[in-house]
Amino acid sequence: MDKESLELGIGFLLPESQKMGYQTYSELKKLMKTKTELNPFVAFPMFDSFTSKIAKEIGKDKTDYKVINGYITGEGLLNIDGSKIIQKMIKETTKLDINISFPIPPTNNSYVLCISKILLNYKNDLVRSAKGLDNKKIIYDWSINEYKLNVGEVDNLESLIIYKENDLVLAHNNLIFAEANQDQIESINENIRMVCSKFLKMIE
């Protein structure tokens, strides 16, 4: 598994890992290094199950960067119909059956936006794109009315990275966990637009 995949996956999973007693990035990184190279994310069943399904769909290893990054940001997966994967993941995590009758990419944000129709107040589980401001704050760059998440909304979150004004970053579960590039940002925003326009009808 390459370093880029490991770093991105660990950053995304850190908030969940804290529920398991791994309070810091270094502790989680150490945990990951104790796992086999074939399955370093085995401690996180949902993440592992989701990435396994994506990997099978696109013919990659589940630890491949295209799989990890695709699941988290949507990059490279927007043209893939992941509706069946999303349905299976909702069944695995909630025991509920939901029929998604239109194509959506197999990503974290697709799952969260769909499951929010069942479980409310899921907004922190969305991977959100933002730009850095000075004084360690970020400003978000897309809107979803139902969650009251607005363009221009400013937040001051704990961060795993050092960033400066106008740097692109990713936030998840109240944590800034990675730097971002323009392709990742555009993929996140397009993923959200795709799902909201077809399913939730709540995009501005």
Side-chain angles (χ1 to χ4, degrees), residues 17-195:
S17 76
Q18 291 172 339
K19 299 175 186 176
M20 301 163 60
Y22 299 95
Q23 296 299 318
T24 68
Y25 180 78
S26 59
E27 286 177 339
L28 182 56
K29 194 170 182 180
K30 184 177 180 180
L31 166 70
M32 293 303 183
K33 286 184 175 180
T34 66
K35 301 300 178 185
T36 69
E37 288 300 312
L38 294 176
N39 195 8
F41 297 114
V42 69
F44 301 91
M46 179 179 166
F47 184 87
D48 186 58
S49 181
F50 222 130
T51 53
S52 294
K53 291 177 175 64
I54 294 170
K56 183 177 180 181
E57 179 71 23
I58 67 174
K60 296 286 184 181
D61 186 89
K62 63 183 173 182
T63 62
D64 190 282
Y65 181 75
K66 289 184 178 180
V67 174
I68 303 297
N69 179 52
Y71 168 65
I72 293 171
T73 71
E75 187 179 0
L77 299 185
L78 296 184
N79 293 325
I80 294 175
D81 182 2
S83 56
K84 300 301 182 187
I85 293 176
I86 301 294
Q87 287 176 191
K88 288 178 182 176
M89 287 307 305
I90 291 174
K91 180 72 171 178
E92 285 183 22
T93 55
T94 69
K95 310 301 181 187
L96 296 175
D97 288 312
I98 181 171
N99 180 43
I100 302 172
S101 59
F102 49 82
I104 54 174
T107 67
N108 173 78
N109 283 353
S110 292
Y111 167 84
V112 171
L113 289 168
C114 288
I115 206 172
S116 69
K117 302 297 284 186
I118 304 166
L119 303 174
L120 301 178
N121 198 28
Y122 243 58
K123 70 177 184 179
N124 287 336
D125 288 328
L126 290 165
V127 174
R128 302 185 67 187
S129 58
K131 283 187 178 180
L133 300 175
D134 53 9
N135 70 2
K136 299 303 293 181
K137 291 186 177 182
I138 57 174
I139 183 166
Y140 297 108
D141 65 353
W142 51 262
S143 300
I144 303 181
N145 287 335
E146 189 170 310
Y147 284 137
K148 297 181 173 62
L149 301 178
N150 298 309
V151 170
E153 180 185 356
V154 174
D155 220 337
N156 188 8
L157 304 180
E158 181 183 352
S159 180
L160 288 178
I161 63 172
I162 297 172
Y163 60 89
K164 58 185 183 297
E165 187 174 4
N166 291 323
D167 282 354
L168 302 176
V169 297
L170 302 177
H172 174 242
N173 270 320
N174 297 318
L175 178 72
I176 301 159
F177 69 96
E179 296 180 46
N181 58 50
Q182 191 62 42
D183 287 340
Q184 289 172 315
I185 298 295
E186 290 176 2
S187 296
I188 287 170
N189 292 342
E190 179 59 21
N191 186 181
I192 290 167
R193 281 192 293 269
M194 289 168 69
V195 178

